[in-house]
Amino acid sequence: MPIRITSLHNPRLKDVLKLAKSSARAERCATVVEGSRECRRALESGIVPLEAYVCPSLLDSDSAALLPRLTALDAARKTWLAEVTPDVFAKIAVRDDSGGILLVIPYLDHTLATLRPPSPAFLTVIEGVEKPGNLGAILRSADAAGVHAVIVNAGATDIHNPNVVRASLGTLFTVPVLEAEPSATAAWLHAASIAIVAATPDAPSLYTAWDYTQPVALVLGSEADGLSDTWRAAADGLVRIPMFGQADSLNLAASAAILFYEVVRQRLAA
């Protein structure tokens, strides 16, 4: 049976609030998921929440449909389930449209060692993404375009930032997402015979000139710093998106979407 929490000073709530900080997330290896769509996608991906908080009076129909699964996990002592009052839920929820449900989940456990993309592989590497919203938007495009995995080079935005979950609309859980160092990622791609195609404004070739029907990993650098020397040296090809205006760069998420759908176009045509 779920525990009922009515006090705003419950120590469990304090622990949830701490997860807004990256240091607390890293120490506990856990993060927060809000919203019926995001929570559903987390559960459907096989994630077992550490904790679940539901407010019966705020549940929408989609959130209510998740209750039997959470109740079963609670009964199996795999998830700690609590019913909370509207005041309590408002304290731990950031969004106004959370649908009366919030999960605390463990960190994703994808690594280069466990990554097994289908053939022909379609991967992307994001280096230096600074904003959680940008990473979330890239994940939405990656999900839509059928990207097999997204590798975020370590030192960039924390992939477990709750803002990434929100901006991705839960697609953080539908596409394997992992963190790895640039040199280790490049070595893994070369060992797997996956071509590295890196996008940079000063590349000699247009992005449409590459054959993406073969196994490929698209590499994009940050808007501020572009590609590092590591990726320029590791790349099998450098490509650019043509630009005719005054801006010297595109939004990172927009660039990713353009490149993703060129892969889709070529593979559908083939």
Side-chain angles (χ1 to χ4, degrees), residues 180-225:
E181 295 295 335
S183 57
T185 305
W188 184 90
L189 292 169
H190 283 144
S193 298
I194 297 173
I196 299 173
V197 180
T200 180
D202 59 0
S205 301
L206 291 179
Y207 74 101
T208 52
W210 190 267
D211 178 11
Y212 298 109
T213 60
Q214 64 178 307
V216 66
L218 298 170
V219 183
L220 294 95
S222 72
E223 296 166 20
D225 301 319

Side-chain angles (χ1 to χ4, degrees), residues 68-146:
R69 187 177 305 186
L70 294 174
T71 301
L73 289 171
D74 178 58
R77 297 186 177 182
K78 295 181 178 180
T79 299
W80 187 84
L81 177 61
E83 286 188 359
V84 301
T85 61
D87 286 348
V88 169
F89 192 81
K91 181 173 182 178
I92 58 175
V94 174
R95 294 169 46 179
D96 294 329
D97 58 344
S98 293
I101 188 168
L102 181 147
L103 305 179
V104 176
I105 66 167
Y107 269 12
L108 304 176
D109 58 359
H110 304 297
T111 65
L112 288 174
T114 60
L115 190 58
R116 298 289 186 273
S119 183
F122 178 12
L123 309 177
T124 190
V125 179
I126 308 299
E127 182 185 41
V129 59
E130 299 168 353
K131 298 178 181 178
N134 253 353
L135 180 55
I138 290 170
L139 293 177
R140 289 170 64 181
S141 295
D143 173 83

Side-chain angles (χ1 to χ4, degrees), residues 15-32 105-107 132 157-166:
D15 288 340
V16 173
L17 292 173
K18 289 178 182 178
L19 295 177
K21 296 183 177 180
S22 59
S23 58
R25 293 195 299 272
E27 179 180 356
R28 192 176 172 187
C29 290
T31 191
V32 173
I105 66 167
Y107 269 12
T157 291
D158 174 14
I159 65 174
H160 297 99
N161 187 316
N163 290 324
V164 173
V165 180
R166 284 192 286 272

